[in-house]
Amino acid sequence: MGELKLLLKDAGTEGLQRIEVYQRLGGYAGLRTALSSSTPDEIVEQVKTSGIRGRGGAGFPTGMKWSFLPKDVFPRYLCVNADESEPACFKDRYLIDTNPHQLVEGILIAAFALRVEIAFLYIRGEYFEQRLLLERAVEEARAAGFIGKNILGSDFSCDIIVHGGAGAYICGEETALIDSLEGYRGQPRLKPPFPAVKGLYGQPTVVNNVETLCNLPHIVQRGGEWYKSMGTEKSTGTRVWCVSGHVERPGVYETELGTPIGELLELAGGMWKGRRLKAFQPGGGSMQVLLPEHLSLPLDMDAVAKAGSSLGAGAFVWMDDTTCLVNVSMRLVDFYHHESCGKCTPCREGTYFESQLMHRLERGEASLEELSTLTDICDNMNGKCFCPLGDTATWFVMSAYQAFREEFEAHCGADRCPIVGAAASTRVHA
């Protein structure tokens, strides 16, 4: 267990963004292997054997997701979700920045396995430089014969279209992404039917995350059993983590799944200035808060879920003892209020009232009676919204309220933040 570089093993290599450097390091060997010695069904079985689960947040088994496509219904599409907008998440951006051809190769392998002839790479609107990198990588791959008709002399033909979004967080939800690709306002669709049956342009569609697809060249080259040998029984392989907040070395790290969470903190140099850990989020801005006693938990999707949170999109945010959880909650609630698409009432109205209450609480204007309505507001949202955005708008704030209830109550009627004020006073006299 511990740090194990698979997707990041060549990161830092000069010129890796260019196809000649990528190929010199073994790039596109996975695609060659897939086309020369495997059938599409065999690739799907290898992915199933590997046990890899989606790296975008939900953690659904990738091979199983692929198998939901109906037989003999064409055309079908692959949509790549590069709309990385989760607060504190930047791993997909880093993967694109350092090694865009790894993603392109993964897309082509998935397209071959799924019998897809057109793949759409939907990238976050703010990722303008990354979009240019991908467009150049696609053109380099096309010129080298990896994209187009009868790739490498096979019967497989595929094109990749890079499509920039407009900066809407909701388009990270797969059906909203599909609506946006079709030229509509990005809003989630009613399910069922699921995209595997009726997705882009009404055809069978698979939506996969950037990190998920970057694993495919390695799985094809070395086999599903090899990949399964890393990690835990139900969380196989490695994962790329975004690490930010109060740590000495924020950045991107890759570890084998199953590694204790505390080891990830050590890789990041420990807490900033030697301060005491107060709380952390393990999966991005939407995930429930965990506490210092959870550092011994393994980086395992099921283990973290059992503890009451989720590895989600793989973004760890570390908070020291000077952090006000009310302030953090307010800022996150504001984000979800701003990003709500407004399609369903529980999310549209709930995030508004949630935000209003959190601002009154942070200013010390809310009473204990008002604070007690926070649970009611969140209960009327969680599990009752059209898509997960409304649910996730409640997860962090409710977990913080439960874990730090005294901190929330101390804000009621206070003339200043009792946490930040006390921390500042402690530092002055230290």
Side-chain angles (χ1 to χ4, degrees), residues 74-86:
F74 298 94
R76 49 182 58 181
Y77 300 103
L78 171 65
C79 293
V80 184
N81 189 345
D83 191 60
E84 184 178 48
S85 306
E86 180 76 10

Side-chain angles (χ1 to χ4, degrees), residues 168-424:
Y169 172 71
I170 189 62
C171 289
E173 195 278 334
E174 59 182 13
T175 60
L177 182 153
I178 289 170
D179 260 19
S180 179
L181 269 174
E182 291 183 352
Y184 299 108
R185 181 177 180 177
Q187 291 187 321
R189 297 178 178 179
L190 182 65
K191 294 182 284 189
F194 291 92
V197 175
K198 187 176 181 181
L200 187 64
Y201 306 128
Q203 295 298 118
T205 303
V206 167
V207 182
N208 281 146
N209 167 261
V210 167
E211 184 186 350
T212 308
L213 294 171
C214 285
N215 279 279
L216 297 185
H218 307 282
I219 292 172
V220 169
Q221 273 289 86
R222 304 179 70 173
E225 288 291 348
W226 163 80
Y227 192 85
K228 190 177 180 180
S229 70
M230 298 181 291
T232 66
E233 182 182 358
K234 294 185 178 180
S235 292
T236 61
T238 69
R239 277 204 71 171
V240 179
W241 310 104
C242 319
V243 178
S244 61
H246 297 143
V247 292
E248 289 288 351
R249 295 192 297 272
V252 178
Y253 298 87
E254 185 175 10
T255 69
E256 185 175 359
L257 281 162
T259 300
I261 290 175
E263 288 192 25
L264 181 61
L265 178 57
E266 291 174 11
L267 285 173
M271 295 301 293
W272 185 51
K273 296 184 179 180
R275 291 178 179 169
R276 182 173 62 86
L277 173 65
K278 182 175 183 177
F280 65 95
Q281 288 178 286
S286 59
M287 296 307 156
Q288 296 90 336
V289 69
L290 292 180
L291 305 172
E293 54 261 37
H294 295 117
L295 288 176
S296 59
L297 280 176
L299 289 164
D300 175 276
M301 297 180 193
D302 295 333
V304 174
K306 189 175 180 180
S309 191
S310 171
L311 290 180
F316 275 78
V317 182
W318 302 91
M319 293 168 265
D320 69 18
D321 53 3
T322 67
T323 304
C324 172
L325 270 297
V326 170
N327 185 270
V328 175
S329 299
M330 179 191 72
R331 291 171 183 274
L332 287 171
V333 166
D334 282 351
F335 172 81
Y336 291 105
H337 174 223
H338 180 269
E339 294 297 332
S340 173
C341 74
K343 185 168 186 172
C344 72
T345 302
C347 180
R348 183 183 64 246
E349 303 300 322
T351 54
Y352 169 78
F353 287 116
E354 195 182 12
S355 176
Q356 291 294 303
L357 175 55
M358 292 308 301
H359 275 272
R360 284 181 54 77
L361 184 63
E362 174 66 4
R363 293 195 301 266
E365 297 173 0
S367 65
L368 286 171
E369 186 178 4
E370 279 184 281
L371 177 59
S372 68
T373 66
L374 179 61
T375 301
D376 293 334
I377 294 171
C378 291
D379 283 347
N380 284 324
M381 295 168 61
N382 192 23
K384 302 175 181 67
C385 295
F386 200 85
C387 83
L389 187 147
D391 302 341
T392 57
T394 71
W395 290 352
F396 179 83
V397 65
M398 284 310 300
S399 67
Y401 183 36
Q402 291 164 9
F404 298 94
R405 182 179 294 269
E406 292 181 359
E407 188 167 312
F408 277 66
E409 292 177 349
H411 278 74
C412 296
D415 60 354
R416 67 173 183 171
C417 175
I419 308 305
V420 175

Side-chain angles (χ1 to χ4, degrees), residues 7-78:
L7 305 188
L8 301 183
K9 66 182 179 66
D10 297 320
T13 302
E14 186 176 354
L16 184 58
Q17 295 84 358
R18 293 290 186 178
I19 193 169
E20 58 269 18
V21 177
Y22 181 66
Q23 286 190 275
R24 189 172 72 238
L25 296 172
Y28 289 105
L31 178 61
R32 292 181 187 275
T33 298
L35 296 184
S36 64
S37 58
S38 301
T39 66
D41 289 342
E42 287 171 343
I43 299 296
V44 173
E45 286 305 312
Q46 285 280 25
V47 173
K48 283 184 178 179
T49 299
S50 75
I52 184 172
R53 295 166 67 171
R55 304 314 200 211
F60 195 82
T62 302
M64 186 182 296
K65 187 174 189 178
W66 288 6
S67 67
F68 291 156
L69 288 177
K71 302 292 185 183
D72 303 321
V73 179
F74 298 94
R76 49 182 58 181
Y77 300 103
L78 171 65

Side-chain angles (χ1 to χ4, degrees), residues 23-170:
Q23 286 190 275
R24 189 172 72 238
L25 296 172
Y28 289 105
L31 178 61
R32 292 181 187 275
T33 298
L35 296 184
S36 64
S37 58
S38 301
T39 66
D41 289 342
E42 287 171 343
I43 299 296
V44 173
E45 286 305 312
Q46 285 280 25
V47 173
K48 283 184 178 179
T49 299
S50 75
I52 184 172
R53 295 166 67 171
R55 304 314 200 211
F60 195 82
T62 302
M64 186 182 296
K65 187 174 189 178
W66 288 6
S67 67
F68 291 156
L69 288 177
K71 302 292 185 183
D72 303 321
V73 179
F74 298 94
R76 49 182 58 181
Y77 300 103
L78 171 65
C79 293
V80 184
N81 189 345
D83 191 60
E84 184 178 48
S85 306
E86 180 76 10
C89 197
F90 45 87
K91 64 179 176 64
D92 292 344
R93 182 184 69 187
Y94 187 77
L95 288 167
I96 293 167
D97 275 336
T98 57
N99 199 350
H101 280 283
Q102 182 176 233
L103 173 58
V104 172
E105 183 179 7
I107 294 169
L108 291 167
I109 291 171
F112 172 69
L114 299 170
R115 296 178 173 88
V116 163
E117 293 191 354
I118 302 180
F120 292 88
L121 205 172
Y122 188 102
I123 187 165
R124 179 182 177 183
E126 291 89 343
Y127 282 5
F128 181 71
E129 292 182 4
Q130 289 72 29
R131 176 179 175 177
L132 295 180
L133 273 175
L134 287 170
E135 287 175 344
R136 187 178 69 185
V138 166
E139 290 311 309
E140 287 182 337
R142 193 189 312 279
F146 298 125
I147 296 176
K149 296 291 185 182
N150 304 115
I151 297 171
L152 299 177
S154 69
D155 294 332
F156 173 57
S157 300
C158 183
D159 196 7
I160 298 176
I161 297 173
V162 180
H163 179 94
Y169 172 71
I170 189 62

